Each structure stands twice: as structure tokens, then as C-alpha cells.
Amino acid sequence: GAIVMSSGRWPLLVDPQLQGIHWLKSVYKDKCDVVRLGSADVQRKVEAAIREGRTIIIENMLEDGPDASLIPVVSRQILHRQKKQYYRLNDEELEIHPDFKLYLHTKLANPHYAPEVAVKVSLLNFTITPTGLEDQMLGLFVIEEMPEMEEKKNSLMIANARMKKELQE
């Protein structure tokens, strides 16, 4: 989550179980546009998001990467003029609103992106391992069925961390 929110490159979420995209949508709630790569209005929605400072999530990324027309945005090819920043898209310069954010998403489990695509984004793998899924399900079960045990576990974890710090000091 920290890398997604603070990376210097736009993040590309590898997310076959859709946990990452659900988390991202919950973070931005109604403040983001979601568009599927390959739909007719991708270019128009990206341009509007750049101008208006909206967050846009482009879903359905395939291994060939984003459309060629979006490469200046994905690779952050920013033009600087008179203290303003611009993207050049289709021979048009769009002023970048400071609140603009872009997130790329794929449901492919093990995508192989070309190096020229991989170096332009922060690849983040949200794939869940069977052990991780088991831990999540067990945690949800304990919270629902035995909340006092969950509270005890949390207090023990806090005490353990405090004692480790104390021991280190």
C-alpha cells in the first residue's frame, strides 16, 4: 500500500484475486474513474482526469502494455513551461492538475511485460499465496466468532513488540 501511494512511477497492480483493486477503490471511493483498456473512451477519460485532477484506474492491462497514445502519461514524460507541467498527447499539450493520479491494473496471474513497459511503472504483485489466504480467512473467522480472542492476540502482539524494543534498548 505504501509503495502504491508514494511511488515515483505510476503503479501497475498484478492482482488476479482483485484484492488490490478493491482496496484501491475503497481508498478513493467516489473520487476515481475506472476505465477498461481497450474501451473506446480510454483516451478521453485520461485526458479529462489529467485536466481535472482526478484519479483514474485503467483495468484489463495485457502483456503488450498500455496503448501507444498513453505512453507519455505512463512514463511521466512531463514538459515544464512557466512553472506549469504538461503531458503531450496526440499533438496536444494538457496541463497536469497537481491532484492527478494514475493506476494500472491487470488480472493476469503471472504477466511477462516487455522491459520497456516494466521500467516505466512500479510493478506490484498482489497475488495471494494459499498460506496468505488461509491466514486471512482464519483472521476473519476469529474476528466474527471469537472477538475476545482477537483482542487478546492484538494485545499480545503489542506487548511482544514493546518487549522486543525494551530488550533491544
Side-chain angles (χ1 to χ4, degrees), residues 43-100:
Q43 183 80 25
R44 183 181 52 78
K45 284 192 174 184
V46 169
E47 288 175 6
I50 292 169
R51 284 189 186 109
E52 298 166 11
R54 293 188 53 83
T55 299
I56 189 158
I57 301 170
I58 301 177
E59 294 183 316
N60 203 28
M61 289 283 296
L62 300 176
E63 288 182 336
D64 53 351
D67 292 338
S69 61
L70 297 177
I71 293 298
V73 178
V74 171
S75 60
R76 289 194 176 194
Q77 296 173 1
I78 298 173
L79 306 171
H80 299 274
R81 291 205 176 82
Q82 301 168 350
K83 297 183 182 180
K84 293 184 180 179
Q85 297 181 330
Y86 298 86
Y87 283 125
R88 180 180 287 278
L89 290 175
N90 298 330
D91 298 328
E92 180 184 357
E93 289 184 1
L94 301 171
E95 185 177 345
I96 304 170
H97 193 284
D99 295 334
F100 169 70

Side-chain angles (χ1 to χ4, degrees), residues 11-17 37 60-66 104-115 117-119 121-128:
L12 170 53
L13 285 66
V14 176
D15 186 23
Q17 288 95 2
L37 194 65
N60 203 28
M61 289 283 296
L62 300 176
E63 288 182 336
D64 53 351
L104 306 167
H105 176 265
T106 183
K107 287 193 272 186
L108 300 175
N110 193 17
H112 298 284
Y113 289 103
V117 173
V119 298
V121 297
S122 291
L123 271 171
L124 300 161
N125 193 344
F126 278 80
T127 304
I128 300 172

Side-chain angles (χ1 to χ4, degrees), residues 20-38:
I21 196 75
H22 289 303
W23 167 75
L24 198 56
K25 287 177 181 177
S26 72
V27 167
Y28 288 105
K29 295 184 176 59
D30 298 328
K31 300 175 189 171
C32 75
D33 298 323
V34 179
V35 63
R36 299 191 123 240
L37 194 65

